[in-house]
Amino acid sequence: MKIKGLLSAALTIILTLSMVTGFDSCKIDPMNGAKLIINYDLIKTFINVQFVDATTGELIGQTDNTEVKVIITGANADAVLDNTGIKKDEYYSTNGFIGLALNPNNEFVPTISNPIKFTIVASLDGYISTSKGVTIGKEGTYHEKIVMVNISNPPNGVVVKEEKGIGNLQGGTVQEEITVKTQNDEASITIPAGTIIKDGNGNTLSGSLDISLIYFSNIEDESLAAFPGGLMTTVNQDGQSLDGAFFSAGFLAIEINDANGIKAEIFEVNTAELKMMVDDRTYNPETQAQVTDGNVVPLFSYNTDNGEWNFDQEVTIEGGSRSTYEVTAQISHLSYWNFDWFWGFPCPDGIQFLFVGDYSACGCTEFTGIMRRQADNTFFSYIYFWACEGVPIQTLWAPPDMPVYIEWDQGCSSLIVDEDFTYIDNLCAPDVMEIYFSVEGGNTTVVSVDIMGRCAANANVEVRPTYGAWYRPADSWCWKWAFMYAGHAEICDVVIGQEYVIGTYFNGQWYQENVIPVQDTYIYWEIELPDELCNELL
Amino acid sequence: MKNLSILFFLFLFFSIPAQVFSQETDSSQDGKTDDFSPGWAIGIKASTLGFGGEIVKSFNKNLNLRLGGSYFNQKYSLSFADAIADDSWTYTTVGSVSLIMDWHFSRIVHLSAGVLYNMTVMKVEGLPTESQHIGDIEVTPETIGSLTYQLTPNEICPYFGIGFGRSISKNKVVSFNFDLGAVYQGSPKVSLDATGMISPTANEEQRKLLEDNVKDLRFFPFLNFQLSFKIL
């Protein structure tokens, strides 16, 4: 779009007229110093993604230039853009952040009856590739935290076994049985002799193999938070695509490459055998009790193309030799393998939350926490609320009849929820649940931030972005979000005299500044916009 | 403005032979040359303040009073702006109601002074009519918005100038007059309005800046070609 032409048009007309009509017109430039100021508020739905190391809890790349590669798959992948409105095949995080958005064109406007569904697939060398399904039923701002496992430094509950140069394949055929198992027998894979191993294109592997076997516990927080695909997901079962939640019995990620780097996907002639221990604390939602031998659990494999899980088979839980229980499955292809009970039929519009308290001069603020199942206290998901005074927040696509509670993050803000835990027996109840909070610590103020984007090619054009700003105390890594409209944001709960880091992500670049707020602090922040965006805009 | 100039020249082209013819006719019919008879005339004119007419009253052979009005409105489509906004328009309105006294200090040259009610307004409006694209996002004309710039001088303006010819003939029916002068219009007022994405452009700071840029456009050049007919 050539909006700058409006300015040129006005300039030319006025110059022409003034040359005719004014005695001093030759010396007069009617538009001298004038700017074209663009309120860049086209996008109505933002998806802010943070990439977190499962072990350290830190943002990946916050202290170096590590970039997580992201591709968008799924039914409505076409709807997803960068937060500047530019569609890309691949997106890369900066400082652990990515700002995505939904195309505001009519065909992509999300509604409860016609939600936008897509999957964020994240990969990074040295980390286990992961994904997160996203379903959006209303315009707004959404936050996602994608937890990734560093293979060389896995978190509590994740066990990694890597074998290099194991076995021998001739013509794609395994010559001797190959078995890889984790150190404490949490999981194993056995490939019988005579099995032919091929890649996704039907090419046979050869020579020795590098095998990675990774077990994710279904009990530990760190492991559940890092479950590839997350626990709220979509499965394909009996020809149907169903949304819902997983009650997990455990998860395995397996990767096999030959010496040439060809990645195995298919087993022929024989199947490979997977064994996985099942923790006796595992909750079976079908029996509404802890597991016992004889329980049946479905097994799902992962479709990396669309981020959905495909039902593969049912397996029976049995007494184990080195653990209380174990499951065994015969598999004909490689994938992520998830032993889960699927809890389907989420309600599109569920319970509403209303945050009641002193908003400290800000109309809206952020509350975060962890949602856990009441049945077994296990991690279910991170949860974010962008709470505005007097405005209830509706839960969307929540699993029905699954009692949960929220464990609030209380250390990252001066706004403290009065109760450490909030219990919700039915996320689909048509109720408004009031959450009360208070201001603690005092001596807070509001920092006003004005952000102005400029294009190097035209200094007379100013772009005022609508997006948001992240901020955190300089000595902490708990980033909080403040919404920005037309280049203006108000950060409402910062402590006077404490150093903060304020940053934002725009078109693949991270902008950051340190500030020590005083009363009525005002920050003017001018950023140079990337040429890619300027070319589109001008 | 170019159109306006062309009209001036066309008017001049056709009016001069008419004036000459009428003078010749008058001269050959009664042979009067310097006799004066006070009276009234009506005239038509083309000026930098538009087309219009005048009523002229002569008090003696040196002093005339003219009450006139003129108006002209032109809407231009700017082809160079079509690439960015399918319709970019400028609206120019010139016009006045004038009361001017002529003092003839020689046979055909006079000084003029008076006051005008100035109706001149210059307005530029950029308004896209087709959707544009930013990346994959379709941006409708309503979302882009429009930008309007308007220049308005003072309404009551003094005028001073010099003239050639007569706005009312001393002793003939037809006369011709040409005025050259300046209207003091004061520093023009600027108004700026914008909608849609570009609405922040029209802020008070920018308006003041634009107004300051044109503050020296205090004089409006006045050219007037007039053909008068003595009626009484």
Side-chain angles (χ1 to χ4, degrees):
Chain A
M1 187 176 60
K2 313 292 182 190
I3 289 175
K4 70 174 181 185
L6 290 172
L7 199 64
S8 306
L11 172 65
T12 307
I13 296 158
I14 294 158
L15 271 176
T16 306
L17 287 174
S18 59
M19 284 176 69
V20 174
T21 60
F23 289 143
D24 297 325
S25 60
C26 292
K27 303 173 188 171
I28 292 172
D29 176 1
M31 303 304 285
N32 183 38
K35 298 166 186 164
L36 183 65
I37 304 171
I38 299 171
N39 179 11
Y40 194 69
D41 68 339
L42 297 172
I43 293 169
K44 307 304 179 191
T45 302
F46 293 100
I47 306 105
N48 300 315
V49 186
Q50 296 181 59
F51 297 94
V52 177
D53 185 293
T55 305
T56 65
E58 296 177 354
L59 289 170
I60 296 170
Q62 69 180 15
T63 54
D64 54 33
N65 295 322
T66 303
E67 295 178 336
V68 178
K69 175 184 162 185
V70 167
I71 59 171
I72 305 297
T73 64
N76 301 119
D78 287 346
V80 181
L81 309 171
D82 183 88
N83 65 356
T84 59
I86 297 171
K87 185 166 184 58
K88 300 175 180 176
D89 294 332
E90 296 175 352
Y91 303 87
Y92 290 89
S93 71
T94 308
N95 280 47
F97 291 97
I98 269 188
L100 302 173
L102 290 189
N103 190 324
N105 292 353
N106 288 338
E107 63 266 36
F108 299 122
V109 173
T111 61
I112 296 291
S113 59
N114 190 22
I116 298 294
K117 294 182 179 182
F118 61 93
T119 301
I120 302 168
V121 181
S123 58
L124 174 64
D125 286 347
Y127 283 76
I128 297 172
S129 295
T130 187
S131 68
K132 183 132 194 181
V134 179
T135 301
I136 295 177
K138 283 183 179 176
E139 291 181 335
T141 300
Y142 298 84
H143 299 272
E144 299 289 347
K145 184 184 282 188
I146 294 183
V147 180
M148 299 184 73
V149 172
N150 185 341
I151 293 172
S152 60
N153 184 25
N156 191 26
V158 178
V159 182
V160 176
K161 178 65 177 178
E162 289 185 296
E163 290 277 5
K164 304 279 187 187
I166 187 172
N168 181 28
L169 273 66
Q170 293 182 3
T173 303
V174 176
Q175 300 301 300
E176 294 179 0
E177 180 179 278
I178 300 170
T179 298
V180 174
K181 59 175 67 176
T182 57
Q183 188 172 1
N184 295 314
D185 272 356
E186 293 92 347
S188 67
I189 180 170
T190 301
I191 307 171
T195 305
I196 297 174
I197 306 178
K198 294 181 177 177
D199 70 5
N201 297 320
N203 304 311
T204 55
L205 278 67
S206 60
S208 61
L209 301 176
D210 295 340
I211 299 179
S212 297
L213 175 63
I214 302 154
Y215 163 78
F216 286 74
S217 161
N218 61 328
I219 302 297
E220 309 294 342
D221 274 7
E222 299 90 332
S223 168
L224 285 166
F227 252 50
L231 296 171
M232 279 296 293
T233 190
T234 304
V235 302
N236 292 304
Q237 189 168 4
D238 301 328
Q240 288 182 294
S241 180
L242 304 170
D243 295 316
F246 277 148
F247 280 79
S248 182
F251 174 95
L252 295 177
I254 307 150
E255 190 167 308
I256 300 176
N257 293 284
D258 72 3
N260 299 316
I262 299 174
K263 187 176 179 180
E265 286 196 22
I266 301 165
F267 300 118
E268 291 182 352
V269 180
N270 299 311
T271 56
E273 182 181 87
L274 284 184
K275 277 186 181 292
M276 187 188 76
M277 65 159 277
V278 177
D279 194 295
D280 56 10
R281 294 170 289 178
T282 300
Y283 179 78
N284 180 347
E286 291 181 349
T287 62
Q288 297 186 15
Q290 290 181 334
V291 290
T292 185
D293 53 356
N295 285 175
V296 172
V297 58
L299 177 60
F300 296 88
S301 66
Y302 188 67
N303 184 338
T304 52
D305 291 336
N306 58 17
E308 295 180 358
W309 293 93
N310 297 320
F311 172 75
D312 191 85
Q313 58 188 287
E314 286 186 331
V315 294
T316 303
I317 295 173
E318 299 169 330
S321 56
R322 295 190 61 179
S323 62
T324 310
Y325 302 110
E326 67 178 20
V327 286
T328 303
Q330 303 296 323
I331 59 172
S332 59
H333 65 281
L334 272 183
S335 163
Y336 293 157
W337 292 97
N338 215 346
F339 299 83
D340 292 272
W341 292 276
F342 181 69
W343 201 252
F345 307 108
C347 52
D349 42 355
I351 195 168
Q352 297 181 74
F353 295 94
L354 179 63
F355 287 82
V356 180
D358 179 2
Y359 279 76
S360 293
C362 267
C364 301
T365 189
E366 180 190 76
F367 293 96
T368 62
I370 293 174
M371 183 176 281
R372 298 181 182 280
R373 291 185 173 102
Q374 289 185 26
D376 56 1
N377 295 318
T378 54
F379 174 99
F380 181 64
S381 73
Y382 291 109
I383 191 161
Y384 294 81
F385 292 102
W386 180 247
C388 297
E389 193 165 10
V391 181
I393 304 165
Q394 188 153 47
T395 306
L396 302 173
W397 310 103
D401 302 320
M402 190 183 83
V404 297
Y405 63 93
I406 298 170
E407 181 180 343
W408 297 104
D409 282 342
Q410 302 281 41
C412 196
S413 170
S414 59
L415 301 180
I416 305 295
V417 177
D418 292 349
E419 297 174 325
D420 289 337
F421 303 96
T422 297
Y423 287 82
I424 306 126
D425 291 334
N426 184 4
L427 286 167
C428 292
D431 302 329
V432 177
M433 177 172 277
E434 292 186 342
I435 311 289
Y436 293 92
F437 66 92
S438 313
V439 180
E440 289 190 4
N443 208 24
T444 60
T445 188
V446 176
V447 174
S448 296
V449 182
D450 277 339
I451 295 182
M452 191 65 69
R454 289 193 187 281
C455 293
N458 191 336
N460 289 328
V461 176
E462 292 183 355
V463 178
R464 295 180 177 177
T466 290
Y467 176 48
W470 298 93
Y471 65 101
R472 65 173 173 83
D475 58 358
S476 165
W477 289 102
C478 54
W479 289 96
K480 292 196 71 187
W481 169 261
F483 190 72
M484 176 198 307
Y485 177 75
H488 181 78
E490 297 219 329
I491 299 172
C492 63
D493 62 341
V494 294
V495 178
I496 294 172
Q498 182 174 350
E499 185 176 9
Y500 284 83
V501 181
I502 299 175
T504 191
Y505 173 97
F506 209 60
N507 193 45
Q509 294 189 37
W510 176 256
Y511 305 90
Q512 180 175 303
E513 189 170 311
N514 284 39
V515 61
I516 300 175
V518 296
Q519 198 73 40
D520 301 323
T521 295
Y522 172 77
I523 299 171
Y524 178 76
W525 197 2
E526 196 169 298
I527 59 177
E528 187 172 320
L529 299 174
D531 290 342
E532 186 180 13
L533 175 63
C534 289
N535 293 339
E536 291 285 346
L537 199 58
L538 302 178
Chain B
M1 192 53 65
K2 183 181 173 186
N3 291 353
L4 196 60
S5 303
I6 292 169
L7 286 170
F8 289 158
F9 285 114
L10 286 173
F11 180 82
L12 189 62
F13 179 79
F14 288 111
S15 62
I16 288 175
Q19 178 202 25
V20 171
F21 177 75
S22 65
Q23 285 178 339
E24 285 174 348
T25 302
D26 288 347
S27 299
S28 63
Q29 282 178 344
D30 53 26
K32 295 175 182 175
T33 54
D34 294 327
D35 293 345
F36 172 77
S37 57
W40 293 82
I42 56 171
I44 55 172
K45 63 181 181 179
S47 75
T48 51
L49 285 171
F51 299 97
E54 277 193 346
I55 299 171
V56 187
K57 167 64 178 167
S58 63
F59 296 101
N60 54 50
K61 64 180 182 181
N62 295 327
L63 213 56
N64 300 332
L65 184 65
R66 293 188 273 160
L67 175 64
S70 62
Y71 184 82
F72 184 73
N73 178 272
Q74 182 65 47
K75 178 181 176 183
Y76 303 92
S77 173
L78 301 168
S79 60
F80 66 88
D82 285 353
I84 57 97
D86 304 291
D87 284 311
S88 293
W89 301 102
T90 175
Y91 303 89
T92 301
T93 300
V94 290
S96 69
V97 175
S98 59
L99 185 64
I100 296 172
M101 183 70 81
D102 299 333
W103 175 58
H104 287 262
F105 58 88
S106 77
R107 197 169 65 89
I108 60 165
V109 183
H110 59 269
L111 293 177
S112 301
V115 62
L116 281 74
Y117 177 75
N118 192 351
M119 296 183 285
T120 300
V121 172
M122 201 278 289
K123 185 176 180 182
V124 179
E125 189 173 71
L127 180 66
T129 58
E130 290 185 1
S131 293
Q132 310 286 320
H133 281 84
I134 298 178
D136 281 30
I137 301 176
E138 183 180 0
V139 190
T140 62
E142 294 76 23
T143 303
I144 296 169
S146 63
L147 181 66
T148 306
Y149 171 102
Q150 184 167 305
L151 205 68
T152 310
N154 288 348
E155 289 183 338
I156 305 298
C157 306
Y159 165 74
F160 187 81
I162 189 167
F164 305 93
R166 281 188 170 272
S167 53
I168 179 168
S169 176
K170 288 189 290 186
N171 49 19
K172 299 168 194 163
V173 176
V174 179
S175 62
F176 174 74
N177 178 52
F178 167 67
D179 292 300
L180 172 63
V183 176
Y184 180 79
Q185 59 183 3
S187 296
K189 304 290 184 296
V190 168
S191 67
L192 193 62
D193 188 33
T195 62
M197 288 175 69
I198 55 177
S199 58
T201 304
N203 60 46
E204 181 60 13
E205 185 184 351
Q206 290 244 100
R207 192 199 65 77
K208 284 181 177 174
L209 174 84
L210 295 173
E211 197 165 87
D212 193 56
N213 286 345
V214 295
K215 69 176 189 298
D216 292 333
L217 292 174
R218 292 186 294 267
F219 292 95
F220 186 87
F222 183 72
L223 299 174
N224 178 44
F225 299 89
Q226 183 169 329
L227 188 65
S228 298
F229 302 91
K230 195 170 183 179
I231 54 174
L232 289 174

